[in-house]
Amino acid sequence: MAVPIESLLREISAIAAPIEELQNLKTALLAIPVSALRDSVTGQRFDVIFSLLSTNESEQVKLCVDILGRILMALSPLYLVQNFREELQGGLAHPSDAVKILALTQIGRIVAHPDAVTPVLNDHDILRQVIHCVGEEKIGVAKEAISSLSKLSNSKAGLDTLFRSNLLKDMKDVISFISQLLEELTGDDILIRATAIEMVTNLAHTLHGRQFLAQQGVMDKISNMIRGADTDSFSSFYLPGLVKFFGNLAIMDSPQQVCETYPAFQNKVFEMALDPDPVMTGVALDTLGLLGSTVEGKQVLQKTGEKFRAVLLRMSRLAGTGATEMRVRTLEAISHLITLEVEQQTEDLLALTESWFCLLSDHPMDMIREISTQPFPELHCAALRIFAAVAPQPWGQQLMISTPGFMEFIMDRSSGQTKEAKDAKFELVGSIVSSSTAAEILGSQHFLRLRTYLREGPYYVSAVAIVSTEGAE
């Protein structure tokens, strides 16, 4: 296929108004499977197609955009930045919105790639042009510019570049524009809402990003939006993003400070955890797991009393029945909530995690073990991770030894045959053996067997003696 494309490119370069030839090239490109397109276009120059964008003929521009869109998406971000950086930069200043969006889309791919982003970070002219695209009157261009900056802000190096360079003044325009977007979330463009929230969430990943957002009043705006979500019929589209924003903010700053400063966030998380909508429930579970992964977050949740107890009871029901994905998310959240590192094991915190675990069921060890025996590998591994969270805690070891058949269950290598399951079981055994209280609580016999399991490794298979029978063939 490479020869026809090369031939078509030569034809196009020899004609002043090659509409028909461009259409032929577009057809040829569409005929090549995406999986094979990279090999067909790598190494070829498409300068002629970029040059044909310099026209007022809308049909020609549209064909060029369609052609370049398919070609560039087939090429790796690293190849793009090495071969088409100037062309993409030129596209940012093109009068056509379609060309701007094409350039912004490809720049977004570049800045999201760890090996390709550096040349863009070092080229402040490109960054400045992307930022200026945020102020475009056409919302499609602005949306794509925000998306590209959002991907850039996933990188710490990218954020440092944005906030420590002379682009800071331009970034104020970005935040100002985002604030306007946040105020207009009752509009019809759902993608704009999601993209704006995604960007401010990423900007909050660094200290100076959070400071900048606070100065612009973005945290207060988002809190007010959460508070007013009940009266907005479109809130289900953007509410998960708002909750994720504060969940990430709480972990990076202080769960207590964030929950006390923005009580609407915490209240909404509890409300969503009890919501029948699986999307809302899933986001709430993830957020609770994130909050509860820290000691301060655990203490904040414990202070809410009956509110959090109701959530734990709902989590117990969700872990036992329903869609597998929701059950796994629930189990993951539970494991984060009850995890307590050795250095964190004060009397009060041990009592807290034990009380939460025992709220799940009258016999929580049996409940989680029953889940682990179901024929779904992801459920099996998620259940084992809960046991791994319980294992280093003295009360957890007491439950293990007092639950009939549990120690045999741990050391049974026949359960869970996938690599992930074997690794999860090995992690569980390791978390027990590493505890200073395990030998005393579990007894020397069980402890020595666990140490042997650990020494043999996760994939050990017992040798089977083969006895030959005299006269057998």
Side-chain angles (χ1 to χ4, degrees):
M1 285 295 180
V3 174
I5 290 175
E6 187 175 357
S7 177
L8 285 167
L9 286 171
R10 283 198 301 269
E11 289 181 25
I12 291 169
S13 63
I15 302 173
I19 297 296
E20 183 177 346
E21 289 73 15
L22 286 170
Q23 185 61 62
N24 291 339
L25 176 58
K26 177 181 174 180
T27 302
L29 291 168
L30 291 173
I32 304 174
V34 175
S35 58
L37 190 55
R38 177 176 297 185
D39 292 338
S40 300
V41 299
T42 298
Q44 298 200 42
R45 296 301 304 174
F46 295 94
D47 310 65
V48 61
I49 308 298
F50 280 103
S51 67
L52 289 172
L53 290 171
S54 300
T55 179
N56 293 325
E57 295 292 333
S58 59
E59 184 180 1
Q60 180 171 307
V61 170
K62 183 180 185 306
L63 282 169
C64 289
V65 168
D66 291 343
I67 290 167
L68 290 170
R70 186 162 177 82
I71 290 170
L72 298 180
M73 286 302 292
L75 297 170
S76 71
L78 191 58
Y79 188 90
L80 289 180
V81 78
Q82 291 171 343
N83 294 275
F84 297 109
R85 193 169 77 191
E86 291 183 5
E87 289 84 351
L88 292 175
Q89 183 174 353
L92 296 175
H94 198 280
S96 166
D97 293 340
V99 178
K100 282 192 177 79
I101 290 173
L102 170 70
L104 287 165
T105 300
Q106 300 307 319
I107 290 171
R109 291 180 62 216
I110 290 170
V111 300
H113 193 285
D115 296 328
V117 66
T118 302
V120 176
L121 290 179
N122 294 332
D123 191 333
H124 287 186
D125 288 337
I126 288 184
L127 292 177
R128 187 173 287 105
Q129 283 181 273
V130 172
I131 290 169
H132 287 167
C133 284
V134 172
E136 288 282 335
E137 292 183 2
K138 297 295 179 65
I139 203 67
V141 175
K143 178 179 67 178
E144 200 60 50
I146 291 174
S147 178
S148 295
L149 288 171
S150 177
K151 291 170 185 173
L152 178 63
S153 64
N154 277 318
S155 157
K156 185 181 185 301
L159 283 170
D160 287 343
T161 297
L162 292 174
F163 282 100
R164 292 178 181 171
S165 70
N166 57 8
L167 297 172
L168 186 58
K169 179 179 181 297
D170 297 304
M171 285 303 298
K172 291 181 180 178
D173 296 333
V174 174
I175 301 300
S176 176
F177 183 75
I178 292 172
S179 297
Q180 294 174 32
L181 289 177
L182 293 173
E183 292 174 352
E184 296 172 1
L185 283 177
T186 53
D188 295 330
D189 196 326
I190 306 304
L191 293 177
I192 287 286
R193 305 173 186 179
T195 305
I197 294 300
E198 179 187 0
M199 185 172 181
V200 295
T201 299
N202 289 332
L203 289 175
H205 283 169
T206 67
L207 177 59
H208 32 279
R210 293 193 293 278
Q211 291 173 341
F212 206 36
L213 290 171
Q215 290 169 5
Q216 298 297 318
V218 173
M219 280 77 156
D220 291 330
K221 290 180 187 293
I222 293 178
S223 178
N224 289 335
M225 288 168 60
I226 291 176
R227 191 176 293 110
D230 292 340
T231 59
D232 183 0
S233 58
F234 289 101
S235 64
S236 61
F237 293 108
Y238 61 82
L239 191 55
L242 304 182
V243 169
K244 288 179 183 178
F245 170 82
F246 272 121
N248 283 285
L249 188 66
I251 292 302
M252 288 177 286
D253 275 353
S254 159
Q256 180 175 343
Q257 180 181 341
V258 169
C259 290
E260 288 181 354
T261 306
Y262 307 103
F265 156 65
Q266 182 176 280
N267 293 335
K268 183 57 67 174
V269 171
F270 288 160
E271 180 183 315
M272 289 168 61
L274 302 175
D275 197 301
D277 183 343
V279 174
M280 295 297 176
T281 304
V283 172
L285 292 173
D286 296 343
T287 304
L288 288 168
L290 195 61
L291 286 173
S293 65
T294 67
V295 168
E296 185 178 316
K298 286 177 170 62
Q299 293 168 332
V300 168
L301 293 173
Q302 179 73 346
K303 287 179 182 177
T304 64
E306 288 302 318
K307 287 184 178 180
F308 187 60
R309 286 173 60 89
V311 169
L312 281 173
L313 293 174
R314 174 88 196 284
M315 292 172 74
S316 173
R317 293 192 294 272
L318 290 171
T321 59
T324 300
E325 181 186 357
M326 181 62 73
R327 297 177 70 186
V328 170
R329 290 175 81 171
T330 304
L331 293 170
E332 293 287 356
I334 292 171
S335 69
H336 288 307
L337 289 167
I338 61 175
T339 294
L340 202 59
E341 302 299 334
V342 174
E343 62 273 14
Q344 300 169 341
Q345 292 182 10
T346 64
E347 185 177 339
D348 288 346
L349 287 172
L350 285 168
L352 180 152
T353 53
E354 181 181 10
S355 68
W356 287 358
F357 186 68
C358 291
L359 263 179
L360 298 174
S361 167
D362 291 337
H363 303 285
M365 298 294 283
D366 290 333
M367 168 193 164
I368 303 300
R369 182 170 56 175
E370 194 277 329
I371 292 172
S372 76
T373 61
Q374 296 177 17
F376 302 99
E378 55 269 54
L379 278 178
H380 178 77
C381 292
L384 290 181
R385 282 191 285 272
I386 288 184
F387 288 138
V390 168
Q393 304 181 58
W395 61 262
Q397 294 161 16
Q398 292 283 2
L399 286 176
M400 288 179 173
I401 196 63
S402 63
T403 301
F406 190 83
M407 298 309 298
E408 289 72 20
F409 161 76
I410 291 179
M411 289 176 278
D412 178 10
R413 288 184 180 271
S414 66
S415 64
Q417 292 302 302
T418 65
K419 178 183 182 300
E420 292 76 15
K422 292 177 183 295
D423 288 340
K425 177 70 75 70
F426 189 72
E427 180 185 348
L428 165 57
V429 173
S431 64
I432 300 173
V433 173
S434 63
S435 170
S436 61
T437 60
E440 179 183 352
I441 295 175
L442 300 179
S444 58
Q445 183 179 357
H446 288 308
F447 188 73
L448 289 173
R449 289 181 64 193
L450 289 167
R451 287 185 62 181
T452 300
Y453 189 114
L454 201 63
R455 186 173 61 253
E456 292 171 343
Y459 314 118
Y460 175 79
V461 178
S462 299
V464 179
I466 301 175
V467 179
S468 59
T469 305
E470 185 179 354
E473 294 182 1

